[in-house]
Amino acid sequence: MLDKKTVLKALERVTDPEINVPITEMQLVDKIEIDNGNVFVEFHVTTPACPPVLAVKLAMDVKDAVKKLEGVKSVKLNVTGHYMTDFINK
């Protein structure tokens, strides 16, 4: 069953590219919403000056991890706390 607990479990395998610690352990996931298979995840990066390439990689890793879950129709992300959030969220 697709629920917040299942999404969080999948995100335990996503690690910060710089320090290799799961984003769930670092408490970077701020919000998870699920509506009929459409998943929204909001998370923040460790620092506003995180290298953009790493912030984008982290966003892609989050999206890929959630997309693999059974019952997921779509994944939408919102990254916060970075000086280039508008670029990353596109």
Side-chain angles (χ1 to χ4, degrees):
M1 180 177 152
L2 184 61
D3 58 13
K4 289 181 183 183
K5 185 177 178 180
T6 304
V7 173
L8 271 175
K9 187 75 174 164
L11 294 177
E12 287 176 359
R13 294 185 294 273
V14 177
T15 59
D16 181 283
E18 285 189 297
I19 59 175
N20 203 32
V21 174
I23 64 169
T24 52
E25 187 175 318
M26 296 172 62
Q27 299 181 346
L28 299 180
V29 180
D30 300 314
K31 183 188 294 185
I32 297 171
E33 295 176 352
I34 303 167
D35 181 24
N36 196 32
N38 302 301
V39 181
F40 172 78
V41 178
E42 183 171 280
F43 69 96
H44 62 279
V45 293
T46 55
T47 175
C50 173
V53 69
L54 297 181
V56 169
K57 180 183 180 344
L58 185 59
M60 297 289 286
D61 290 349
V62 167
K63 191 170 191 174
D64 289 344
V66 175
K67 282 171 55 174
K68 291 178 183 176
L69 295 173
E70 186 177 335
V72 172
K73 295 178 183 174
S74 70
V75 180
K76 182 165 173 60
L77 303 179
N78 187 47
V79 181
T80 64
H82 193 275
Y83 75 98
M84 293 184 67
T85 54
D86 290 340
F87 171 77
I88 296 167
N89 285 325
K90 288 181 184 179

